[in-house]
C-alpha cells in the first residue's frame, strides 16, 4: 500500500471512531472548520475545542502539575453568567481557578507541504485563582469584572475562528487551482523556502498559501503569547 | 553551496547579530540550554525567555488584541516580592494584568529529523486582571496569595528547564553514538515513523531520541494546556 492510501486508511479509521471527549461531539462553533479540513484528502482532525470558559477546583494537595484531583465546577462554550459562577464557586473546597481557553485544533497532515497552510494564532488566555482551600479570595464585584473579560475573549475567539475559516477556505481554493495548473513537483519546489510550523520567519516571503496572523517577533522576546518551544525546519533533503 | 553549508552560514549570521531583546542578553536560567543547542551543528536558537512574572498596564482603550498601548509596570525572571507589585500597581492607570509566562525557546533546525528531539512541555501560565481604569479590583491579601502561586510556578518552571536540559543532553549524546555507528540513511529510515512537532501520537513507539513530557491526549479535549493548532505530519515523501 502506498503512503497516500495508508493515510486515507488511517483517516477513515480515525474519523469512524466514537468521539471520546466528555461532550461526545464537535463544538458548534468549530463544526464548519472541522468539516472543511476533513473534506480535503490531505487533512483530518483528531481533536478540537472551539474555546471555553472553565472553573476548576484543584484538590488541596493538587498542584498544577498533578491534575488528578481536579474537579470541574463549570464549563461553557458560550458567554457565561455571573450567577452560574457564584453558585459553582460555592462547591469549591480546594483552590478554584477560572480559565478562558481559546480554540484548540489538532490536525493530521498527509505530508509536510500540507502543514504549511496552517497557522497558530495568538493564544490569549485567562487563568485566575479565585479560592484557596475553599475560601473565596476575591469580591463578587471582581468576579463580575472577570466574567466580562472572559466573555469578551470568547467573542474575540469566535471572530478569529471565522477569520481562520475564511483564510483557510481561500487558501485551499487557491491550492486546488494551482494543483491543476502545475505538476505536483513544481509546487513542492515552489514551497521549498524556509518555513516554520508555528511562525513564519519572513512573512513577506511566504508562499501564497501560507496563512499567518503572527508578527515576526523573533529576537524580541518582550511580548510572547504562545509559550513553549517553536521549531523551524531548514529544508534540506525532503 | 549545499544545504548544510547554507544552514551553517545562516546560523553564523544569526548568532553574530546583536541581541535585540529589551534586556539585551540571554536569561541566566536558560544560558546552558541555549549553549547546548548552539553548540550542535544542526541547531541554533533565535529567541528565548527563561520564564517571567510580568505586570502589564493596558491603556483604557487597549484591548488584548491591540497591545500598542501596553506599558510594563514590572518584569522579573526571579521570584517576586509583594511590595514591589503593590508599588508598581500604584502606577497603573488602565487595566493592569499579572502574568506568569513559562520558558519560550525558538529553535531553528537544519532538517526535519533534527526537530524530533524537541518537545513542548505543558504551558502552565497565569493571567490575572488586577486593576480596571487604574482602580485596584482585588485585596492586598489576594495579591499576596497570587504572588505565592506565581513564585511556585517560577520554581516549577526552573525544574522543568533543568529536566529538559538533561533529557536533551542525553538524547544528543545517544544520537552522536548512533551517528558514528550507523550510516546516516539508516538513522533517517529508523526515525521515519509518524511524528508530530508538538506531541507524539504514540509515545511507546517513539524512537530513542524523542523526548516528550506530554501525555497522549488526542480525542480527549478535556484538559488542554497548549492552546493553538497542533500539526502532525504523515511521513510520505521525505
Amino acid at each position: 500500500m502506498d503512503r497516500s492510501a495508508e493515510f486515507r486508511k488511517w483517516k477513515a479509521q480515525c474519523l469512524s471512531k466514537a468521539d471520546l471527549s466528555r461532550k461526545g461531539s464537535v463544538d458548534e462553533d468549530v463544526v464548519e472548520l472541522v468539516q472543511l479540513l476533513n473534506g480535503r484528502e490531505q487533512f483530518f482532525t483528531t481533536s478540537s475545542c472551539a474555546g471555553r470558559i472553565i472553573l476548576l477546583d484543584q484538590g488541596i494537595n493538587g498542584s498544577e502539575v498533578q491534575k488528578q484531583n481536579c474537579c470541574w465546577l463549570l464549563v461553557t462554550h458560550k458567554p457565561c453568567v455571573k450567577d452560574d459562577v457564584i453558585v459553582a464557586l460555592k462547591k469549591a473546597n480546594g483552590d478554584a481557578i477560572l480559565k478562558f481557553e481559546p480554540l484548540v485544533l489538532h490536525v493530521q497532515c498527509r505530508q509536510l507541504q500540507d502543514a504549511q497552510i496552517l497557522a497558530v494564532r495568538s493564544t490569549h488566555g485567562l487563568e485566575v485563582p479565585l479560592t484557596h482551600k475553599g475560601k473565596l479570595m476575591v469580591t463578587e464585584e471582581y468576579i463580575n469584572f472577570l466574567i466580562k473579560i472572559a466573555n469578551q475573549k470568547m467573542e474575540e475567539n469566535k471572530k478569529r475562528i471565522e477569520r481562520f475559516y475564511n483564510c483557510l477556505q481561500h487558501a485551499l481554493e487557491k491550492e486546488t487551482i494551482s494543483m491543476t495548473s502545475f505538476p505536483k513537483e513544481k509546487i513542492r519546489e515552489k514551497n521549498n523556502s524556509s518555513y516554520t510550523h508555528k511562525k513564519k520567519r519572513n512573512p513577506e516571503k511566504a508562499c501564497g498559501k501560507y496563512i499567518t496572523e503572527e508578527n515576526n517577533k523573533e529576537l524580541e522576546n518582550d511580548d510572547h503569547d504562545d509559550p513553549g518551544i517553536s521549531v523551524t525546519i531548514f529544508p534540506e533533503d525532503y
Side-chain angles (χ1 to χ4, degrees), chain A:
Chain A
M1 188 158 48
D2 71 13
R3 289 287 191 171
S4 282
E6 211 178 307
F7 183 79
R8 269 199 303 279
K9 195 185 156 193
W10 183 27
K11 177 175 175 171
Q13 266 174 3
C14 287
L15 295 185
S16 67
K17 276 183 202 157
D19 187 323
L20 297 178
S21 65
R22 285 195 203 192
K23 204 165 145 261
S25 62
V26 174
D27 297 338
E28 198 186 313
D29 287 338
V30 91
V31 164
E32 277 186 281
L33 184 55
V34 164
Q35 284 174 347
L36 178 64
L37 284 164
N38 289 334
R40 305 293 297 208
E41 61 174 3
Q42 69 271 43
F43 303 117
F44 68 95
T45 61
T46 53
S47 174
S48 63
C49 175
R52 60 189 181 180
I53 295 167
I54 49 174
L55 191 64
L56 293 168
D57 191 25
Q58 297 178 131
I60 293 162
N61 296 319
S63 73
E64 275 280 0
V65 187
Q66 291 144 327
K67 295 206 167 185
Q68 293 85 342
N69 300 323
C70 229
C71 156
W72 289 29
L73 301 172
L74 185 89
V75 192
T76 174
H77 293 78
K78 301 281 161 201
C80 85
V81 181
K82 194 188 91 177
D83 288 349
D84 294 347
V85 176
I86 301 285
V87 169
L89 273 172
K90 288 191 176 134
K91 290 177 230 151
N93 46 42
D95 292 5
I97 294 172
L98 186 122
K99 279 192 182 189
F100 170 73
E101 296 175 331
L103 168 69
V104 173
L105 193 60
H106 293 177
V107 184
Q108 302 284 329
C109 302
R110 195 179 47 187
Q111 58 187 44
L112 192 61
Q113 71 173 80
D114 300 325
Q116 289 181 83
I117 62 153
L118 294 174
V120 172
R121 290 94 52 78
S122 308
T123 54
H124 290 294
L126 200 60
E127 184 163 343
V128 183
L130 291 180
T131 71
H132 181 49
K133 297 181 182 174
K135 185 196 159 205
L136 192 62
M137 301 297 288
V138 294
T139 60
E140 227 177 281
E141 189 196 356
Y142 179 77
I143 293 173
N144 210 16
F145 167 62
L146 194 62
I147 288 167
K148 271 189 203 153
I149 296 173
N151 287 345
Q152 278 165 9
K153 283 176 191 273
M154 185 69 96
E155 200 49 50
E156 175 62 28
N157 178 62
K158 212 176 156 178
K159 281 185 202 154
R160 288 183 187 203
I161 292 176
E162 284 166 16
R163 205 159 66 204
F164 182 66
Y165 177 87
N166 291 332
C167 290
L168 182 67
Q169 196 176 36
H170 183 70
L172 291 176
E173 274 165 16
K174 272 183 75 175
E175 197 201 30
T176 309
I177 294 164
S178 52
M179 289 293 272
T180 49
S181 316
F182 301 102
K184 207 177 172 194
E185 288 310 311
K186 269 276 183 289
I187 292 162
R188 191 164 308 144
E189 208 182 303
K190 195 181 125 203
N191 288 325
N192 221 5
S193 58
S194 161
Y195 49 76
T196 157
H197 292 289
K198 289 204 76 184
K199 281 182 204 163
K200 196 73 189 73
R201 277 180 59 81
N202 299 306
E204 69 283 5
K205 288 187 195 162
C207 299
K209 70 191 181 87
Y210 198 97
I211 308 159
T212 181
E213 296 187 37
E214 289 277 355
N215 296 321
N216 193 352
K217 289 186 295 190
E218 64 190 320
L219 288 171
E220 177 51 75
N221 65 12
D222 288 346
D223 188 27
H224 53 65
D225 296 316
D226 48 350
I229 298 170
S230 154
V231 176
T232 302
I233 301 148
F234 188 77
E236 193 185 43
D237 51 3
Y238 47 84

